[in-house]
Amino acid sequence: MNTRNTGRILSTETVLPRYSVSFFGGGMNARDINNAGTIVGVHSAPTGELAFIMRNGAVTYMGTLGGLFTNPDKINAPGLATGWTTTETMQVAFLYDGYLRSLGTLGGSYSIGTSLNDAGHVVGQSETSAGQTHAFLYANGAMMDLGTLGTGTFSAARGINNRRQVVGESTIEESHLSPTRPFLYQSGVMSDLGSLGGSLAGAMAINEAGLIAGYSTDA
């Protein structure tokens, strides 16, 4: 339908964008994509789950570190990826830069990479030597324990921006029934971001302006 106003025709029709759909192949699941259109995902095979990176339609498999599973979660603008992979004995966070590189752990039996920035700094969670799970930041070849809020025993990092601001969630007390709170970690300090009145809250992502998105139960 068109309407005429002061000699100009104003269209009320909505023009929808057009898309084409590309089929990857059976058993292939995309997990993330960057602005260049490079995709990371998982190809489920009888021998396990194989991580792949797809550039301009060409698929490259990331390989493993001796185990059967590699799962990428995020890819950054330069095309580096992170997630987790299995070795013969444990599960570890990785950084993929053309080679699959283990990031190690905080002394425990597992770690998971959840996000990374354009500099290749990786965040996630790892078991510590004390058996707790703590958020970590991997930068300059080392994994750093970000600790927890209060006397909490659990934390996990979910997002990082190019200013190395890290967000995630943490318990605030030793109890297994402890409330969880979203945190912002910057300049060596983990800050409690509060909640909407409920006992469960967490931060999932942060942008370059420092705006944070997450979830919270209310009162």
Side-chain angles (χ1 to χ4, degrees), residues 24-32 39-44 49-50 52 72:
F24 288 179
M28 301 184 76
N29 298 285
R31 296 289 175 80
D32 198 20
I39 295 168
V40 291
V42 172
H43 184 188
S44 297
E49 292 184 341
L50 307 176
F52 69 84

Side-chain angles (χ1 to χ4, degrees), residues 35-195:
N35 288 337
T38 304
I39 295 168
V40 291
V42 172
H43 184 188
S44 297
T47 56
E49 292 184 341
L50 307 176
F52 69 84
I53 184 165
M54 178 184 290
R55 292 187 177 93
N56 301 319
V59 173
T60 300
Y61 288 98
M62 298 181 187
T64 71
L65 295 176
L68 298 178
F69 301 93
T70 301
N71 279 268
D73 284 324
K74 294 292 182 181
I75 185 170
N76 66 8
L80 310 181
T82 191
W84 61 267
T85 187
T86 54
T87 69
E88 293 181 353
T89 59
M90 62 194 307
Q91 174 183 319
V92 293
F94 72 80
L95 177 65
Y96 180 82
D97 59 1
Y99 297 93
L100 194 68
R101 305 181 190 276
S102 169
L103 303 187
T105 73
L106 293 173
S109 62
Y110 85 96
S111 62
I112 299 171
T114 56
S115 190
L116 75 169
N117 63 15
D118 290 345
H121 301 145
V122 177
V123 295
Q125 65 193 68
S126 173
E127 185 180 51
T128 68
S129 57
Q132 298 181 0
T133 294
H134 285 189
F136 73 79
L137 167 63
Y138 182 92
N140 303 318
M143 181 180 287
M144 180 172 63
D145 189 339
L146 301 188
T148 66
L149 293 170
T151 59
T153 59
F154 169 87
S155 64
R158 305 298 187 189
I160 181 173
N161 64 14
N162 289 329
R163 297 159 60 187
R164 261 176 60 161
Q165 294 175 304
V166 181
V167 295
E169 61 200 32
S170 173
T171 54
I172 59 176
E173 300 169 358
E174 290 187 39
S175 169
H176 292 297
L177 300 177
S178 169
T180 62
R181 292 287 185 267
F183 71 76
L184 169 65
Y185 182 93
Q186 60 181 347
S187 302
V189 177
M190 181 181 285
S191 301
D192 187 338
L193 300 181
S195 73

